[in-house]
Amino acid sequence: TALPKPAMSYNFYGSELQFRDDLKVAKNIPIYPDENSVLNAVWNPEIQNISITFINSSAEDNAIIAVNAFEITYKLSVGYNEFNWLGIKFVPNIVESFENLTSNNETLTIALIPPSIANKTSVEMKDGVIYVSGGTQKEFDLATIKFLMVALNIMA
């Protein structure tokens, strides 16, 4: 029997979104505390900025961080534009460490944790900050996809 084809794209209200890995695999990435908390944070009507936060490290890490930061920025922009949520700015934010990160009603912080410093593969919201982490490059991509699936309410 043929294996089911991987779901690598999704039609989001007429916009065809392409993904770097299989949505059906990504949906199994754990998310804490729950999907609704993340969804509500992304769609908080007071948001004006989304801070894509990362640690400047190796060239290899920076490359995968850049790819996933672009994925998040592009796909959330498509989502926000679809519902006329205009003017949300995506701001890169380089930090020395992931300790003491904060979010507030106007700025949502999304911390990208690459394989070299990730101790697990998950999407986790803690103190208003969303942490996307992956133990390998593939798992980091899958965690990013899981975050986007939840943020955009994509079912695989």
Side-chain angles (χ1 to χ4, degrees), residues 110-155:
I110 300 172
L112 300 181
I113 306 175
S116 69
I117 51 178
N119 57 10
K120 61 185 173 190
T121 299
S122 67
V123 177
E124 183 173 5
M125 188 162 136
K126 203 165 129 198
D127 301 326
V129 176
I130 298 171
Y131 297 87
V132 177
S133 60
T136 65
Q137 286 203 358
K138 181 179 177 71
E139 290 171 352
F140 190 40
D141 283 345
L142 288 167
T144 298
I145 294 167
K146 171 70 174 214
F147 163 71
L148 287 164
M149 289 174 72
V150 170
L152 298 172
N153 212 10
I154 290 173
M155 302 297 165

Side-chain angles (χ1 to χ4, degrees), residues 30-50:
I31 187 162
Y32 308 100
D34 56 63
E35 295 191 0
N36 267 349
S37 301
V38 171
L39 184 69
N40 290 335
V42 170
W43 292 96
N44 170 356
E46 294 177 46
I47 284 185
Q48 294 169 14
N49 303 295
I50 294 183

Side-chain angles (χ1 to χ4, degrees), residues 80-101:
Y80 287 140
N81 288 339
E82 177 62 37
F83 297 101
N84 291 318
W85 283 43
L86 307 175
I88 293 177
K89 292 182 197 67
F90 289 84
V91 185
N93 180 28
I94 300 172
V95 295
E96 295 296 318
S97 92
F98 290 118
E99 290 176 36
N100 306 319
L101 291 183

